[in-house]
Coordinates of all heavy atoms in Angstrom, one line a residue:
S306 N 46.9 -25.4 -46.7 CA 48.3 -25.8 -46.5 C 48.5 -26.5 -45.1 O 49.2 -27.5 -45.0 CB 49.2 -24.7 -46.6 OG 49.1 -24.1 -47.9
Y307 N 47.9 -25.9 -44.1 CA 48.0 -26.4 -42.7 C 47.3 -27.8 -42.7 O 47.9 -28.7 -42.1 CB 47.3 -25.5 -41.8 CG 47.4 -25.9 -40.3 CD1 48.4 -25.4 -39.5 CD2 46.5 -26.8 -39.8 CE1 48.5 -25.8 -38.2 CE2 46.6 -27.2 -38.5 CZ 47.6 -26.7 -37.7 OH 47.7 -27.2 -36.4
L309 N 46.9 -29.9 -45.1 CA 47.8 -30.8 -45.9 C 48.9 -31.3 -45.1 O 49.2 -32.5 -45.1 CB 48.3 -30.1 -47.2 CG 48.9 -30.9 -48.3 CD1 47.8 -31.9 -48.8 CD2 49.4 -30.0 -49.4
V310 N 49.6 -30.5 -44.3 CA 50.7 -30.9 -43.6 C 50.3 -31.6 -42.3 O 50.9 -32.7 -42.0 CB 51.6 -29.7 -43.2 CG1 52.7 -30.0 -42.2 CG2 52.2 -29.1 -44.5
F311 N 49.4 -31.1 -41.5 CA 49.1 -31.7 -40.2 C 47.9 -32.6 -40.2 O 47.6 -33.3 -39.2 CB 48.9 -30.5 -39.2 CG 50.1 -29.7 -39.0 CD1 50.2 -28.4 -39.6 CD2 51.2 -30.2 -38.3 CE1 51.3 -27.7 -39.4 CE2 52.3 -29.4 -38.1 CZ 52.4 -28.2 -38.7
I388 N 52.2 -15.4 -51.0 CA 52.7 -16.1 -49.8 C 51.9 -17.4 -49.6 O 52.6 -18.5 -49.4 CB 52.5 -15.2 -48.5 CG1 53.5 -14.0 -48.6 CG2 52.7 -16.0 -47.3 CD1 53.2 -13.0 -47.5
S389 N 50.6 -17.4 -49.8 CA 49.9 -18.7 -49.6 C 50.2 -19.7 -50.7 O 50.3 -20.9 -50.3 CB 48.4 -18.4 -49.6 OG 47.9 -17.9 -50.9
F390 N 50.5 -19.3 -51.9 CA 50.9 -20.2 -52.9 C 52.3 -20.8 -52.6 O 52.5 -22.0 -52.9 CB 50.8 -19.6 -54.3 CG 49.4 -19.4 -54.8 CD1 49.1 -18.2 -55.5 CD2 48.4 -20.4 -54.6 CE1 47.8 -18.0 -55.9 CE2 47.1 -20.2 -55.1 CZ 46.8 -19.0 -55.7
M391 N 53.2 -20.0 -52.1 CA 54.5 -20.5 -51.8 C 54.4 -21.5 -50.6 O 55.0 -22.6 -50.6 CB 55.4 -19.4 -51.4 CG 55.9 -18.5 -52.5 SD 57.2 -17.3 -52.2 CE 56.4 -16.4 -50.8
V392 N 53.6 -21.2 -49.6 CA 53.4 -22.1 -48.5 C 52.7 -23.4 -48.9 O 53.1 -24.5 -48.5 CB 52.6 -21.4 -47.4 CG1 52.2 -22.4 -46.3 CG2 53.4 -20.3 -46.8
F393 N 51.7 -23.3 -49.8 CA 51.1 -24.5 -50.3 C 52.0 -25.4 -51.1 O 52.0 -26.6 -51.0 CB 49.8 -24.1 -51.1 CG 49.0 -25.3 -51.5 CD1 48.1 -25.9 -50.6 CD2 49.1 -25.9 -52.7 CE1 47.3 -27.0 -50.9 CE2 48.4 -27.0 -53.1 CZ 47.5 -27.6 -52.2
S394 N 52.8 -24.7 -51.9 CA 53.8 -25.5 -52.7 C 54.8 -26.2 -51.8 O 55.1 -27.4 -52.0 CB 54.6 -24.5 -53.6 OG 55.6 -25.1 -54.3
W395 N 55.2 -25.5 -50.8 CA 56.1 -26.2 -49.8 C 55.4 -27.3 -49.1 O 56.0 -28.4 -48.9 CB 56.6 -25.1 -48.7 CG 57.3 -25.8 -47.6 CD1 58.6 -26.2 -47.6 CD2 56.7 -26.2 -46.4 NE1 58.9 -26.8 -46.4 CE2 57.7 -26.8 -45.6 CE3 55.5 -26.1 -45.8 CZ2 57.5 -27.3 -44.3 CZ3 55.2 -26.6 -44.6 CH2 56.3 -27.2 -43.8
A396 N 54.2 -27.1 -48.7 CA 53.4 -28.2 -48.0 C 53.2 -29.4 -48.9 O 53.3 -30.5 -48.5 CB 52.1 -27.6 -47.5
L397 N 52.9 -29.1 -50.2 CA 52.7 -30.2 -51.1 C 54.0 -31.0 -51.3 O 54.0 -32.2 -51.3 CB 52.2 -29.7 -52.5 CG 51.7 -30.7 -53.5 CD1 50.6 -31.5 -52.9 CD2 51.3 -29.9 -54.7
R398 N 55.1 -30.3 -51.5 CA 56.4 -31.0 -51.6 C 56.8 -31.8 -50.4 O 57.2 -32.9 -50.5 CB 57.6 -29.9 -51.9 CG 57.7 -29.5 -53.3 CD 59.0 -28.8 -53.5 NE 59.4 -27.7 -52.5 CZ 58.9 -26.5 -52.6 NH1 58.1 -26.1 -53.5 NH2 59.3 -25.6 -51.6
R399 N 56.5 -31.2 -49.2 CA 56.8 -31.9 -48.0 C 56.0 -33.2 -47.8 O 56.5 -34.2 -47.4 CB 56.5 -31.0 -46.8 CG 56.9 -31.6 -45.4 CD 56.6 -30.6 -44.3 NE 57.0 -31.1 -43.0 CZ 56.4 -32.0 -42.3 NH1 55.2 -32.5 -42.7 NH2 56.8 -32.4 -41.1
T400 N 54.7 -33.1 -48.2 CA 53.9 -34.3 -48.0 C 54.3 -35.4 -49.1 O 54.1 -36.6 -48.8 CB 52.4 -34.0 -48.1 OG1 52.1 -33.3 -49.4 CG2 51.9 -33.2 -47.0
K401 N 54.7 -35.0 -50.2 CA 55.2 -35.9 -51.2 C 56.5 -36.6 -50.8 O 56.6 -37.8 -50.9 CB 55.4 -35.2 -52.6 CG 54.2 -34.9 -53.3 CD 54.5 -34.2 -54.6 CE 53.3 -33.8 -55.4 NZ 53.6 -33.1 -56.7
I402 N 57.4 -35.8 -50.2 CA 58.7 -36.4 -49.7 C 58.4 -37.3 -48.6 O 59.0 -38.4 -48.5 CB 59.6 -35.2 -49.3 CG1 60.1 -34.5 -50.5 CG2 60.8 -35.8 -48.5 CD1 60.8 -33.2 -50.2

Side-chain angles (χ1 to χ4, degrees):
S306 301
Y307 184 94
L309 194 61
V310 171
F311 296 105
I388 291 171
S389 66
F390 287 138
M391 287 188 306
V392 170
F393 188 80
S394 177
W395 170 82
L397 191 59
R398 276 194 316 275
R399 184 177 185 281
T400 56
K401 285 180 181 179
I402 290 169

